[in-house]
Amino acid sequence: MNPHSSEKVDCVEKIIEKYSETVYKLAFSNMRQKENADDVYQEVFLSYIKSAPEFESEEHEKAWFIKVTVNCCRDMWRKESRHPCVSLEEAEDVPAESKNEVLAEYLLRLSPDDRILIHLLYFEGYSAKEIAEMTGKSPSSVRMKLSRARRLLKKIMEEDGFYA
Amino acid sequence: MLKDLYRDSMSGIHPDSGLVSKTKEAMYNQLEAARRDSDSSQTITKTVFPDNELIAETGKKRNVFGSKSAKIACAAVLVAVFAGIAVIFGVVAENGIGPGHLDSGGGFSGANPGRDSSDISVSQVNKTSVPTVIITTSASVVEIGDVTVSAVTTKITSSTAASVTDNGAVSLSVAHATTTTCTVTSQTKAVSAAVVTTTAPPPPNGNEPGENPPRDPFGDEPHRDGLFYYDPDYDPDSREPAPDDGYEFLFKEDGISYFFESRKSERVLVLYNGVEYTLRDAIDRGIVSHSQLLECSAFVCVASADDMPYSPGAELIHSGAKSELEESGGCWDMQSDLPAPPK
């Protein structure tokens, strides 16, 4: 039996159900490492409880979760830079097999920021303007970065014969 | 095609059930802790006004509170009034839990009998354009490292804005905001929560209050002195020199190095393979290209030799890179460092 009040359980269940996938996929797309994505995921939901934000609309609420996830990822990168570590999986250098794994390796060649932009564009379907608002960049800067990131992805994939 | 591939690759990514249940448990616990805090804490609201003398000098606001001593007297009156209101409405806690009462000595009873509203004083101490609020509590109550400061607004974070001094005072810096509200709480519940509202004068970079200062490529807000500090252990208000003589290494990934550069030094430094270059030198050596300057804000430079193949630098300079930089609050003030574009 859950020792917590039903009101709290409802609140937590509702918010997790709504944004669990969004937050985790975005965190994973940026960190590309399960352990770090897990940490970011927890951090985002705890931030929600801690700051108890009020939202004007569903879109506003979703944008908040995306923005906080992006910020938590950046914090994680900064921490990582001071205490770099390599996961066991990474250290073993397991060769990628499936197409998805190969794509994941290509994505690693993009900067963490670019991976966020690509994810928000391709997976969440946001426009450059919306992404700009969420990431604190100008729309033209987002368009430029997206264009460069896609060009780079295409180039390395072609060089590796991915399209062959 | 790429979009479909990407969506396909993400379809198998989910948080595992263990992570979800652990997160839920942590959220329940945090809600419970918040409930306990609200039950046990007392709140005193104080208002601190900006450095009126300075504002009077600049003619932007009339000095309505006169001398510093008059301000302190006003603050003391406010403290008494709000403390009284708090007691009347039963907000004051006894022993950290439940409704409180006024003891015979006029102070708050509870974990620290005899402590009264004079245990917490708020004053603005500096005379510069950057206000600092000092919240002082009795040293016997506050343990160093035990005080947490959280911002109600998003302008201040506990890691960068607050510090606890040896005598138990909390030094709180105030960000660019016309009004900034902060809450100071102690984890031991021994110290009352205090809400400090201050009206900050215009930031030193010339922006008007409420006007957004330039953002860095990470979307962060600069410190109120207009610079970016990324070392969480470094307190810009300590007046200590910033680590590494004004610039700071951010992180390095896949050959890309991100650097902090202080505007004061008027130089952009690029660290590449362990060697430090000036921006001009880095461009001449092919470490940084024109287009990579798009990644720069006034203070941060991104350098990567790996990026060179897809950086048609000169072309970008001619096709609107300048407007791009200007629009994003970028680093066009470094243009004097740029070599002439190829003819």
Side-chain angles (χ1 to χ4, degrees):
Chain A
M1 188 183 159
N2 197 319
H4 306 290
S5 74
S6 61
E7 193 187 336
K8 275 190 293 185
V9 172
D10 281 353
C11 161
V12 167
E13 291 286 343
K14 197 175 144 198
I15 212 74
I16 288 264
E17 189 186 331
K18 248 172 125 177
Y19 295 110
S20 195
E21 291 283 315
T22 303
V23 168
Y24 194 79
K25 284 185 196 308
L26 179 58
F28 190 86
S29 75
N30 181 266
M31 305 307 300
R32 307 306 304 185
Q33 214 178 48
K34 185 185 177 304
E35 294 76 17
N36 288 346
D38 286 2
D39 285 349
V40 168
Y41 176 89
Q42 279 208 332
E43 191 64 35
V44 170
F45 284 104
L46 289 179
S47 295
Y48 172 79
I49 295 293
K50 207 185 285 180
S51 55
E54 287 178 13
F55 303 110
E56 293 158 7
S57 61
E58 289 266 314
E59 292 74 31
H60 184 204
E61 187 176 70
K62 188 173 182 185
W64 185 91
F65 273 94
I66 287 175
K67 198 166 185 175
V68 172
T69 307
V70 169
N71 287 340
C72 285
C73 287
R74 285 169 177 162
D75 285 347
M76 183 69 75
W77 279 111
R78 286 169 193 163
K79 280 182 206 158
E80 286 278 299
S81 72
R82 292 186 173 82
H83 308 287
C85 60
V86 179
S87 72
L88 285 176
E89 291 85 346
E90 205 179 310
E92 284 166 4
D93 199 17
V94 182
E97 285 173 359
S98 74
K99 240 180 175 183
N100 284 349
E101 285 169 331
V102 174
L103 179 63
E105 283 195 0
Y106 291 143
L107 288 168
L108 276 175
R109 298 203 211 170
L110 300 181
S111 73
D113 259 12
D114 286 350
R115 291 202 289 266
I116 283 180
L117 301 184
I118 290 277
H119 182 85
L120 293 176
L121 179 81
Y122 282 167
F123 197 84
E124 296 291 345
Y126 283 113
S127 68
K129 194 180 168 204
E130 288 165 327
I131 294 172
E133 281 167 13
M134 281 183 255
T135 55
K137 299 176 192 300
S138 70
S140 55
S141 172
V142 167
R143 275 191 288 273
M144 173 68 78
K145 279 170 168 290
L146 276 171
S147 148
R148 288 175 59 185
R150 279 183 291 185
R151 229 185 306 155
L152 175 65
L153 263 182
K154 192 177 172 202
K155 188 181 170 204
I156 54 182
M157 288 166 85
E158 279 172 352
E159 279 172 3
D160 278 8
F162 191 83
Y163 288 118
Chain B
M1 165 82 178
L2 194 54
K3 182 180 179 180
D4 295 338
L5 259 176
Y6 185 83
R7 293 182 74 88
D8 194 32
S9 78
M10 292 306 290
S11 61
I13 306 294
H14 307 286
D16 60 45
S17 56
L19 172 67
V20 173
S21 59
K22 265 194 295 183
T23 306
K24 284 180 185 174
E25 196 55 40
M27 290 167 80
Y28 294 141
N29 291 339
Q30 197 149 345
L31 280 171
E32 187 61 28
R35 187 192 63 77
R36 278 200 306 268
D37 277 355
S38 66
D39 283 353
S40 64
S41 69
Q42 47 186 303
T43 299
I44 297 173
T45 303
K46 304 175 181 196
T47 301
V48 175
F49 294 91
D51 191 330
N52 290 307
E53 287 172 19
L54 179 86
I55 288 172
E57 277 170 21
T58 57
K60 289 184 178 172
K61 188 174 178 180
R62 195 161 56 89
N63 181 356
V64 292
F65 282 86
S67 67
K68 186 180 178 182
S69 58
K71 279 186 276 181
I72 291 170
C74 287
V77 170
L78 279 170
V79 166
V81 168
F82 282 106
I85 291 168
V87 171
I88 289 164
F89 284 93
V91 181
V92 180
E94 183 173 7
N95 289 325
I97 297 170
H101 65 274
L102 200 63
D103 67 16
S104 58
F108 296 127
S109 63
N112 295 280
R115 183 166 57 82
D116 59 26
S117 57
S118 65
D119 275 3
I120 301 174
S121 64
V122 181
S123 58
Q124 188 177 347
V125 292
N126 68 348
K127 290 286 179 188
T128 67
S129 60
V130 182
T132 299
V133 175
I134 298 288
I135 301 160
T136 312
T137 58
S138 61
S140 61
V141 174
V142 184
E143 289 176 12
I144 294 168
D146 185 40
V147 174
T148 57
V149 178
S150 61
V152 175
T153 67
T154 54
K155 294 286 183 185
I156 292 180
T157 62
S158 56
S159 60
T160 57
S163 60
V164 184
T165 62
D166 287 345
N167 63 6
V170 180
S171 172
L172 189 66
S173 51
V174 181
H176 298 158
T178 49
T179 300
T180 305
T181 306
C182 300
T183 304
V184 182
T185 57
S186 166
Q187 289 166 355
T188 62
K189 318 292 182 300
V191 181
S192 307
V195 178
V196 179
T197 305
T198 180
T199 306
N205 61 6
N207 288 5
E208 289 303 314
E211 186 179 330
N212 284 335
R215 286 171 168 273
D216 78 342
F218 301 100
D220 292 335
E221 297 280 350
H223 186 67
R224 57 191 161 69
D225 61 6
L227 300 177
F228 297 93
Y229 296 91
Y230 289 102
D231 184 352
D233 298 322
Y234 175 62
D235 173 19
D237 297 315
S238 66
R239 307 292 179 215
E240 294 288 325
D244 297 327
D245 194 28
Y247 74 95
E248 184 186 351
F249 176 79
L250 293 180
F251 64 83
K252 185 167 184 170
E253 186 221 10
D254 295 340
I256 302 174
S257 302
Y258 296 79
F259 297 97
F260 170 81
E261 169 63 21
S262 164
R263 179 162 50 179
K264 286 170 190 163
S265 74
E266 295 179 346
R267 286 186 309 159
V268 171
L269 299 175
V270 177
L271 191 68
Y272 183 72
N273 285 343
V275 181
E276 220 172 70
Y277 301 93
T278 62
L279 179 63
R280 181 59 186 255
D281 213 355
I283 291 171
D284 289 347
R285 288 166 188 266
I287 295 168
V288 184
S289 72
H290 290 101
S291 68
Q292 282 157 344
L293 297 178
L294 281 171
E295 307 284 347
C296 299
S297 77
F299 318 114
V300 179
C301 187
V302 182
S304 166
D306 297 336
D307 279 354
M308 290 298 287
Y310 73 99
S311 298
E315 179 193 316
L316 282 171
I317 290 292
H318 288 303
S319 62
K322 184 179 175 185
S323 61
E324 189 81 31
L325 282 166
E326 284 170 341
E327 191 177 338
S328 60
C331 62
W332 202 248
D333 56 343
M334 294 194 300
Q335 62 183 312
S336 56
D337 284 330
L338 294 173
K343 291 173 184 170

